[in-house]
Structure formats: structure tokens, C-alpha cells
Amino acid sequence: MKQNILIFSPREVNATKGGIERVSETLAKNLMLNGYGVVFMSVERTGNQDYHCVAPQYFTRDSDNVQWILEIVRKHDIRLIINQMSFFKYCPKSSLPDYIKVVTVMHDSYYAMYQRLELNSFRRWNWKRVIKGLLCSTYEQSDRIVVFFKPFIDEYRFFCPYLKEEKFVVIPNFNSFENPKPSSKERKLLWVGRHNEWHKRPTDILKVWSILENQFPDWSIDVLGDGPDGDRIRELQKTLKLVRCTIHGCKDPRSFYKVASIVCMTSAFESFGMILTEGMQFGCVPVAYDSCTAIRNLIQDKYNGILVTPFDVDEYARKLAAVMSDEETCAMLSEVATHSVEKFDPKNVFPLWLKLIGSL
């Protein structure tokens, strides 16, 4: 019998809620199909009682987390922990039995964040110092560090330059959806993400749409998600007097991907940019700021999508308008985009996980 694995998630594993949650569930399903036992432990609850998780799920406590985690580890005879971020905050590696291995997946791009900091020189230096401590500690406590693309190894080592490359493993995220069915596209744009201005820059897409709305009376835009800047987004929609712009809140994006012709991302930084690959699975043309390494590993400009100079709203609107007004180009980009993300299908990515687990 194969070993049992605990997947630690910063948020409740509910595939309708977000990218880490979806890839955690996909990973768990494939592990179980290959004979591994899986349990989840998560930090934040979503409160969705109707969602049925694919594996037993536990939650951290307000206190005594080390003992609680050790109890779960013993109960399920855990031999490997896949840390989808923040595990060591609740249980240092030194508290675990020696036979347990920990693999940490880097879901944040601290290097990209650093490039976008609007701080004075002292505060930038201090931020870098804090991140260096976090990343060096994570490296020391992890048996392997998984990054999505090879350039991320150098970006990690920007903070901790003397780390050995041998501990890093390159495994991209899975595609979120299994065999999405093709459907006819409508003249719709789609933006999906957390309403956090510093990270996702949702106000940019509303500003872009305010330029385009009168030019394209037969097009509309759907905006999904919510967050700390949600009220700000809704107020801006009113201020700009946007008519064919619907802010839906947090919803399962699949029905929106099916009909949207173009998926837009305005993020200042991303570690992967799953809304792009999700949209591409459904044949949406991806348009995004060329703002970080992750984007350049997903979109080849004018081949399977469109890249825009960060954070040029006018250029974003011009390039969107060019695609929206040219059905032939839009169809070509859509077809190439759909095929270009097949490399992230579980059948292609999961063998890398099997190889990693076998090496431990």
C-alpha cells in the first residue's frame, strides 16, 4: 500500500473558490487514483456546507496547532506533507517525526511583488529582509521546493542567493477543468479575480472598458470576484457610468468562460495566472499586462494571446479593440490558445508529481 499524504492549504479546499483550491483537489484526485491516501488540512473556512470535498478535511485551531497536526499525522499515518503555503507557521519541521517529508509549493511570486513595491528605499530594504528570512526558513524546512517555471528558481535565489538548486523542482499548475466542452462564443469580455487593487488592479479593467463601451455597442463585460476593494470597484462602476458592465461577485466562472470571447487580466504580479489558462481551456483569447515572469510563460504575444505594457490602460484598450474588431484574428488566437494549454493537463503534469514523490 502506498503512503498517505496530507495536503495543507491556506484556504478550505473547495474547487469553486479559487486556484489553489482547484489544483489541490486535482492533485488529490490523481494521487488517490494512483493508490495514495489523502487528507486535507486548511486554515480559512469558506462556510459552504453544500460542497463535498474529495478527501477528509481538517482545519487549524486558534491554539495548540502543533499537537493538533501531530494528532492528525498519527491518526492517518501521514508520510508526506504537500505544503501549499504557510504550513510552517502552524507547525515547524522540527516538530514532525523524522520520517515525514515536506514538499512546499511556491504559490507566490515575491520577486514580482518586490518589483512593484511603492516604498521608499529603507522600507524596500526592510521588506526584502523579511522575505529573505521567510524564504530561507522555508527552504531549510522543506525537503523539496516546487516552482511553476524554471526562472522562478533564480527569482527565489534573488532573496537567498546561496541556496542549492538541487532542492528545487519545476512542476507547473494543473489545468483547472477536465475536458471543457466547446461552445459558441458571444461578444463578451471577462475579468475574474480577487478585488485587491495592489495585486489584481481591478480598477484598470473598468477604466479600459470605459474607453471601449461606446465604441463597441454590441459587446459587454462580466467582472467576477470580490475582496477588500469590492466597494471601491462598485463605486467606480457608478462613477464611470458603465452600462454593459456587470459585477457578479464570487461565482463559479465556468459558465462565463464558456461564452466569453476574451479573458482579461490586469494583475501587477502573479505566480501562475490561472484565470488565463482557465479561459484558454474554454477558447477565450487571453489579454494581460506583461508584468511578471509567469505571464511570459503562458502567453506568446500575438500567437496565443496579447501582452500589454504594464500598466498602460490606453494601450490595453487599443489592443483589446484590435482583437474585438477582427473576428478572424480573434478566432485564430482562440484556437491556438486552446491547444497551447494542453501541456498543463493532469495527464502531462501529474507524472512529474509521481517522479518527485518517488525521489523522496
Side-chain angles (χ1 to χ4, degrees):
M1 183 176 178
K2 294 184 178 179
Q3 61 186 305
N4 293 331
I5 298 172
L6 184 147
I7 300 177
F8 188 92
S9 171
R11 293 179 297 276
E12 182 174 354
V13 179
N14 178 335
T16 68
K17 293 297 183 180
I20 293 178
E21 296 88 328
R22 284 194 282 279
V23 296
S24 294
E25 181 172 280
T26 301
L27 178 57
K29 287 179 177 178
N30 281 274
L31 287 168
M32 290 187 289
L33 285 172
N34 281 268
Y36 293 93
V38 176
V39 297
F40 294 116
M41 176 167 279
S42 305
V43 181
E44 296 180 15
R45 296 176 183 264
T46 64
N48 184 349
Q49 302 301 320
D50 296 328
Y51 188 79
H52 299 288
C53 194
V54 298
Q57 182 159 205
Y58 299 91
F59 292 90
T60 56
R61 295 175 170 177
D62 293 332
S63 60
D64 298 327
N65 275 301
V66 171
Q67 295 305 315
W68 172 231
I69 290 170
L70 290 175
E71 182 179 331
I72 300 304
V73 163
R74 287 192 292 267
K75 177 179 179 180
H76 292 278
D77 191 24
I78 299 297
R79 299 287 164 152
L80 170 64
I81 295 172
I82 297 175
N83 171 27
Q84 305 278 38
M85 303 299 289
S86 77
F87 174 76
F88 300 122
K89 176 181 177 181
Y90 299 92
C91 182
K93 178 73 180 299
S94 59
S95 298
L96 295 171
D98 291 340
Y99 59 81
I100 293 182
K101 305 295 184 181
V102 180
V103 172
T104 295
V105 184
M106 290 303 302
H107 285 280
D108 288 324
S109 177
Y110 291 103
Y111 179 82
M113 291 183 202
Y114 180 74
Q115 302 303 310
R116 305 302 172 195
L117 289 176
E118 297 179 358
L119 301 174
N120 62 39
S121 57
F122 173 76
R123 295 184 69 185
R124 283 176 65 86
W125 171 85
N126 191 56
W127 192 91
K128 183 179 179 182
R129 180 186 62 83
V130 171
I131 297 303
K132 177 180 180 179
L134 170 66
L135 295 182
C136 289
S137 175
T138 298
Y139 177 91
E140 292 299 328
Q141 296 186 82
S142 302
D143 294 281
R144 295 289 188 276
I145 302 282
V146 171
V147 296
F148 299 138
F149 303 109
K150 196 173 189 302
F152 284 153
I153 299 175
D154 290 334
E155 293 186 2
Y156 197 112
R157 294 168 73 189
F158 169 79
F159 296 96
C160 311
Y162 303 109
L163 301 184
K164 294 181 179 180
E165 189 170 324
E166 290 76 12
K167 189 178 274 193
F168 292 94
V169 181
V170 178
I171 304 179
N173 266 335
F174 297 104
N175 278 333
S176 297
F177 308 115
E178 295 181 20
N179 303 316
K181 296 180 180 179
S183 60
S184 59
K185 292 295 185 179
E186 300 177 15
R187 292 179 175 178
K188 286 180 175 289
L189 307 179
L190 176 64
W191 187 98
V192 184
R194 183 169 171 77
H195 292 185
N196 181 310
E197 185 63 18
W198 180 63
H199 182 190
K200 302 289 187 179
R201 299 179 68 96
T203 60
D204 280 21
I205 199 60
L206 296 192
K207 294 171 186 175
V208 168
W209 180 244
S210 71
I211 297 172
L212 297 175
E213 187 170 60
N214 291 334
Q215 296 180 42
F216 295 90
D218 52 349
W219 283 74
S220 62
I221 183 169
D222 293 301
V223 177
L224 271 61
D226 209 336
D229 294 315
D231 290 341
R232 177 181 178 181
I233 305 310
R234 288 182 281 273
E235 284 300 316
L236 182 60
Q237 179 192 22
K238 295 177 183 177
T239 300
L240 295 175
K241 299 179 181 179
L242 303 178
V243 177
R244 296 186 311 283
C245 170
T246 305
I247 300 177
H248 295 271
C250 295
K251 289 192 174 182
D252 188 330
R254 281 175 289 187
S255 62
F256 295 90
Y257 287 132
K258 285 181 181 178
V259 298
S261 293
I262 301 171
V263 61
C264 302
M265 193 164 77
T266 52
S267 299
F269 53 88
E270 291 288 347
S271 60
F272 194 82
M274 288 187 65
I275 71 160
L276 296 178
T277 54
E278 290 175 356
M280 292 161 81
Q281 279 194 273
F282 283 93
C284 303
V285 177
V287 179
Y289 285 136
D290 185 12
S291 56
C292 56
T293 298
I295 306 304
R296 296 192 293 273
N297 280 271
L298 300 176
I299 297 177
Q300 290 77 55
D301 191 33
K302 299 178 183 178
Y303 174 71
N304 66 344
I306 301 295
L307 293 176
V308 180
T309 303
F311 300 98
D312 191 330
V313 168
D314 291 330
E315 180 184 315
Y316 205 120
R318 287 196 304 272
K319 290 190 171 181
L320 261 181
V323 177
M324 293 163 69
S325 59
D326 188 339
E327 291 186 4
E328 184 177 342
T329 296
C330 191
M332 181 272 293
L333 290 170
S334 170
E335 182 176 1
V336 177
T338 303
H339 291 300
S340 67
V341 291
E342 291 175 355
K343 61 187 175 184
F344 302 126
D345 284 347
K347 65 182 179 182
N348 298 320
V349 175
F350 185 67
L352 300 176
W353 275 103
L354 289 178
K355 182 179 179 180
L356 169 57
I357 293 170
S359 72
L360 297 171

